[in-house]
Amino acid sequence: MDSKTAIDIIHKRTSIRSFHDRKVSKEQLETIVRAGMAAPTAMNKQPWMFIVIEDKEVLQALGKDIPTSKMVQQAPAAIIVCGDMKKAGEGWLQQYWIQDCSVASQNILLAITDLGLGGVWTSVYPAENRMKIVSEILHLPEHLIPLNIIPVGYPAENKSPMDKWKPENVHWGVFE
């Protein structure tokens, strides 16, 4: 039995942009979204909403109209992570939704990797035009702000994770 640790999964994760035409099960998608919801949040606000798309026409529209999201067109599913301003804090605290939804997105990407699937973070926020396109295609109410689109599927490419370790980016103690 292959025993994986969280560290193994973190270092195995890579951005997959090409997918086989094979359906991802509802159970797998629910497991992935549950991982997103397990993320820590400021003041436990959980200011997120996850839109799971399996409809090919919707996936085609999202991939066609957003230049950085072309790979969504061939993915069997996608998860759109949105900030829910009705759940977010008040005043300046509201901006924590970005960090909270980003941590949830990372959990989603790690869960995708753990399940042997592939995915990639495609940015929507803060590009006004992308946010508008996603909101229109998905009929999002005004209080939902799309952060990203994460296509999900069985990888049609074999990529090795990048080693991003750079000791020069670490300072021990105070900055020197």
Side-chain angles (χ1 to χ4, degrees), residues 51-143:
I51 315 293
V52 181
I53 305 295
E54 297 177 273
D55 183 284
K56 258 321 199 192
E57 287 183 28
V58 176
L59 293 167
Q60 291 296 313
L62 289 167
K64 178 177 78 70
D65 291 339
I66 300 174
T68 57
S69 299
K70 299 291 183 207
M71 70 289 293
V72 175
Q73 293 178 307
Q74 63 169 288
I79 299 168
I80 293 77
V81 180
C82 300
D84 186 340
M85 297 307 103
K86 287 186 176 180
K87 297 180 201 171
E90 299 291 325
W92 67 269
L93 296 171
Q94 187 177 58
Q95 292 306 307
Y96 280 127
W97 79 266
I98 300 164
Q99 293 148 318
D100 294 344
C101 289
S102 294
V103 174
S105 297
Q106 178 68 2
N107 276 12
I108 285 169
L109 291 166
L110 294 173
I112 288 169
T113 300
D114 189 42
L115 293 173
L117 299 169
V120 62
W121 176 313
T122 64
S123 296
V124 175
Y125 180 88
E128 294 284 338
N129 62 328
R130 294 179 193 173
M131 293 167 31
K132 184 175 189 262
I133 291 166
V134 171
S135 295
E136 287 176 357
I137 291 171
L138 300 180
H139 309 287
L140 298 180
E142 282 188 26
H143 67 276

Side-chain angles (χ1 to χ4, degrees), residues 2-21:
D2 184 26
S3 177
K4 298 179 273 189
T5 68
I7 296 295
D8 293 334
I9 295 163
I10 289 167
H11 288 290
K12 183 181 176 188
R13 192 214 61 78
T14 189
S15 297
I16 299 296
R17 293 176 174 85
S18 182
F19 305 95
H20 287 293
D21 185 24

Side-chain angles (χ1 to χ4, degrees), residues 11 163-176:
H11 288 290
D163 182 357
K164 298 180 183 180
W165 170 246
K166 293 182 179 150
E168 65 272 19
N169 289 337
V170 179
H171 291 268
W172 300 92
V174 297
F175 190 86
E176 295 180 22

